[in-house]
Amino acid sequence: MVRGGDDGSTTAGRSAPTVATRLFRILDAFSSERSALTLSAISRHSGLALTTTHRLVGELASWGALERDSQGKYRIGLRMYELAALAPRGPVLREVAMPFLGDLYEATHQNVQLGVLDGLEVVFVERLSGREAVRVVSRVGGRLPLHATGVGLILLAHAEHAVQEAVLDAPLKRFTSKTIATPQQLRRVLAEVRRNGFVISDGQIELSNLSVAAPVHDETDTVAAALSVVVPSRGADPRALIPAVRAAARGISRALGSPRALALPASARREAASRAAPPSRTREESLGDAE
């Protein structure tokens, strides 16, 4: 029997992981709960031998992907932040959206969030909050399931069919008694999202919270992101928040060049047409012309 390890040797019937794969496994060892790790902890969470981990961590640190603190623990380095800043769905989207997110926050003084689709999860690229805002579990760079969040439901409703089916076929994690937990219920909610253009997600992650979310369209009118405001469930009137949330989402969409957002709504077109039309003439004026 031929045996191998994570250092590149072969295993019968299985190819050895590439250097790139092992580097990714090291980076994947870090998370919001494990932001600082010792060398042995990185080895354990990545599944790599300590000698291999020591060598690859040294290379990552010399390049700037990892940094070592005064206690000898490693953290994600600033070089990774520089690379992340080049992602169009992250900082670029955030820069365009920030004025509208700020306006929505000033109107509500609650949590305002912007998320994008990544695989079968929503990744939050921005969140504004204040001291008086309700506590939420989301964070910038954090992930949550699509079926259990307002922004996630918006993104899933407009995702490709294969993505929707993958979520519907997988177990739907239940966070509270209100979490969508069956494919039938999820299909109904997604149809309502597409029909209404917004969603109210009540108590799905925490019973004390609800969110109102709306889609953000890009220059091709594809849903590129979702925007939401999270407020306390008790005493809240979520339907009163819908106009402000949709207005903020449309503002971001217009800034991204969305044709549907740039087009005037029907009511505004009628008003503009009435202003452009010549004033109606009185009967006396018409008779005067006939003379």
Side-chain angles (χ1 to χ4, degrees):
M1 180 182 292
V2 179
R3 294 185 180 274
D6 52 46
D7 58 352
S9 56
T10 60
T11 303
R14 185 179 64 188
S15 60
T18 64
V19 173
T21 297
R22 283 176 276 164
L23 289 171
F24 292 145
R25 283 163 64 175
I26 287 175
L27 294 174
D28 202 41
F30 294 86
S31 68
S32 58
E33 295 78 22
R34 303 192 301 263
S35 60
L37 296 172
T38 62
L39 201 61
S40 60
I42 296 174
S43 173
R44 183 171 65 255
H45 289 294
S46 65
L48 300 174
L50 188 58
T51 53
T52 302
T53 302
H54 182 272
R55 175 171 56 84
L56 295 178
V57 164
E59 293 181 16
L60 288 169
S62 65
W63 184 75
L66 296 178
E67 296 177 354
R68 191 180 185 189
D69 63 22
S70 58
Q71 296 179 332
K73 293 184 177 182
Y74 289 89
R75 300 174 180 270
I76 296 297
L78 285 177
R79 190 70 179 273
M80 298 297 290
Y81 179 81
E82 293 173 5
L83 287 177
L86 301 176
R89 291 196 303 160
V92 174
L93 175 62
R94 173 187 174 277
E95 183 177 353
V96 172
M98 276 302 291
F100 305 97
L101 300 179
D103 288 345
L104 185 56
Y105 170 75
E106 289 300 327
T108 62
H109 289 283
Q110 292 292 342
N111 298 281
V112 176
Q113 306 179 138
L114 185 70
V116 298
L117 178 69
D118 187 43
L120 303 182
E121 297 174 305
V122 55
V123 176
F124 294 91
V125 297
E126 185 55 84
R127 180 169 72 88
L128 300 183
S129 185
R131 288 180 297 178
E132 303 302 321
V134 66
R135 187 182 72 86
V136 295
V137 299
S138 60
R139 63 175 182 82
V140 175
R143 297 169 176 266
L144 284 174
L146 294 170
H147 73 281
T149 60
V151 286
L153 288 170
I154 291 289
L155 295 169
L156 183 58
H158 297 280
E160 295 179 356
H161 179 73
V163 174
Q164 295 183 18
E165 291 304 312
V167 173
L168 288 162
D169 290 342
L172 299 175
K173 181 178 179 180
R174 184 185 286 274
F175 294 87
T176 73
S177 59
K178 291 186 174 183
T179 305
I180 297 172
T182 67
Q184 296 79 9
Q185 183 185 8
L186 182 55
R187 287 186 189 276
R188 288 196 300 270
V189 171
L190 296 180
E192 291 174 2
V193 170
R194 289 187 290 267
R195 182 171 61 251
N196 297 332
F198 66 88
V199 68
I200 297 172
S201 178
D202 187 2
Q204 286 215 85
I205 295 290
E206 294 184 283
L207 289 172
S208 58
N209 300 350
L210 67 81
S211 69
V212 179
V216 172
H217 297 83
D218 63 15
E219 71 279 2
T220 66
D221 267 343
T222 300
V223 174
L227 167 72
S228 74
V229 59
V230 183
V231 301
S233 296
R234 178 175 294 182
D237 180 6
R239 303 200 72 83
L241 297 168
I242 294 171
V245 172
R246 298 188 73 180
R250 281 197 303 270
I252 301 172
S253 300
R254 283 195 299 270
L256 292 174
S258 164
R260 72 164 62 194
L262 290 169
L264 288 172
S267 59
R269 288 198 301 270
R270 287 194 296 269
E271 182 179 353
S274 64
R275 289 178 178 178
S280 58
R281 296 169 17 136
T282 65
R283 183 172 180 274
E284 288 77 10
E285 289 173 328
S286 299
L287 290 174
D289 288 346
E291 294 173 355

